[in-house]
Amino acid sequence: MQRRPLADTAVSAIGLGAMPLSIEHRPDETRAIATIHAALDAGVTLIDTADSYHWHAGEVGHNELLIARALARYGGDTSGVLVATKGGRGRPGDGSWTVTATPEHLEQAAKASAKRLGVEAIGLYQLHKPDPEVPWAESVGALRELLDAGTIRAAGISNVTTEQIREAHAILGDGLVSVQNQYSPAVRDSEPELRLSTRLGLAFLPWSPLGGISRSSLDGPSGTTSAGTAFHRIADDRGVSPQQIALAWLLARSPAVIPVPGAGRPTSITDSAKATDLELSTEELTELEAPLPG
């Protein structure tokens, strides 16, 4: 597995998005843990989670606790695994999402996440989404305080604009190490944020990186995907999955990119991890530049 820099270490170029293991349509715990173990077996050393990755009310931290159990039960060395979690969003249990990014909430949420993960300090803690009711500088300032207190070792921000990245970078300095925005074959709106992250030396973690190729976990069984795209044609030529082509395309966008595809079964993350073995040609990358049919 290739590695890419993140914070003061290097992690696998493909991470595991663990959200599907805890939200609606989630697998049973046996399969969920097997999925995490398959990721580790494939060389994945970055696992992305959040305290809001759960299904029902009263399950805050479900995904974090699941990851902690999976790591504890893994037979191999997990000391090099970076679990990146997020705070600032909630799920009342009716399928909706809320946003609460007050400094008080983030401080309490980070401490609770560290306890669930069984760590003294969270390796990477990300502000899940800007709160329209809270000044951005106040929310980011809470990350600064968590860094200074040693509750977290590195900070990240998610679902942000270029202006918010610049302001956070000014407040956090080297403590800011990552940006996590939606970016995929189907959704390319965050190209400016990707370019800025690359210039600033920040890792860029696309969420829902397989959009347009695979159905999102939140779409449910009735979600649709594209077919017959350049990603599918090149996959047929290469004898690999379209998902691998999509991830290889993302990796080629910038050395800052570390995709975190979601997985609900072992075979999914095993397939995704193989994307680091692919090197797309200039001609293939040019063909993949065309937007997916809308």
Side-chain angles (χ1 to χ4, degrees):
M1 171 73 77
Q2 297 176 17
R3 297 172 74 83
R4 292 195 165 184
L6 177 57
D8 58 355
T9 187
V11 298
S12 54
I14 298 290
L16 169 66
M19 182 177 73
L21 303 177
S22 290
I23 64 166
E24 292 86 334
H25 317 295
R26 65 193 182 200
D28 61 37
E29 181 158 321
T30 298
R31 195 176 90 186
I33 289 181
T35 300
I36 297 171
H37 287 177
L40 300 174
D41 290 341
V44 170
T45 60
L46 172 64
I47 302 177
D48 179 76
T49 182
D51 60 2
S52 56
Y53 290 169
H54 60 88
W55 186 351
H56 307 291
E59 287 188 328
V60 174
H62 182 280
N63 201 240
E64 294 171 325
L65 290 168
L66 174 68
I67 291 167
R69 289 194 295 273
L71 292 176
R73 298 176 192 175
Y74 188 63
D77 181 16
T78 61
S79 60
V81 176
L82 174 62
V83 178
T85 192
K86 296 182 285 294
R89 300 207 75 178
R91 302 205 74 200
D94 59 1
S96 66
W97 295 76
T98 60
V99 182
T100 307
T102 62
E104 296 78 15
H105 175 81
L106 292 173
E107 179 185 7
Q108 295 170 6
K111 290 179 178 178
S113 288
K115 183 176 182 180
R116 285 189 290 264
L117 291 171
V119 297
E120 292 184 3
I122 297 170
L124 172 57
Y125 191 71
Q126 303 163 94
L127 178 55
H128 207 152
K129 188 175 183 178
D131 186 338
E133 302 300 323
V134 179
W136 179 237
E138 290 186 14
S139 296
V140 176
L143 297 181
R144 177 75 267 170
E145 293 180 2
L146 289 168
L147 285 165
D148 293 342
T151 307
I152 67 175
R153 293 196 174 96
I157 50 178
S158 182
N159 299 299
V160 289
T161 64
T162 54
E163 291 77 10
Q164 289 166 332
I165 295 172
R166 290 190 183 96
E167 186 172 358
H169 190 255
I171 294 170
L172 298 171
D174 293 341
L176 178 66
V177 302
S178 66
V179 171
Q180 187 170 24
N181 277 15
Q182 185 175 18
Y183 193 92
S184 69
V187 180
R188 309 184 190 188
D189 297 344
S190 279
E191 187 68 33
E193 288 75 24
L194 169 57
R195 291 197 300 267
L196 178 59
S197 297
T198 303
R199 288 199 300 272
L200 294 177
L202 307 175
F204 187 86
L205 315 179
W207 62 264
S208 282
L210 300 176
I213 304 300
S214 289
R215 187 175 59 247
S216 167
S217 298
L218 290 175
D219 288 341
S222 61
T224 60
T225 59
S226 300
T229 69
F231 291 88
H232 294 81
R233 292 192 297 273
I234 292 172
D236 286 342
D237 292 342
R238 292 281 197 128
V240 300
S241 69
Q243 289 82 1
Q244 283 189 40
I245 297 298
L247 294 170
W249 171 75
L250 283 166
L251 291 170
R253 304 299 290 172
S254 164
V257 171
I258 306 173
V260 285
R265 53 176 53 85
T267 52
S268 297
I269 188 57
T270 300
D271 181 73
S272 291
K274 294 176 182 177
T276 61
D277 297 331
L278 294 176
E279 185 173 346
L280 299 173
S281 69
T282 301
E283 293 76 14
E284 289 171 329
L285 289 171
T286 299
E287 187 177 354
L288 294 172
E289 282 299 308
L292 294 187

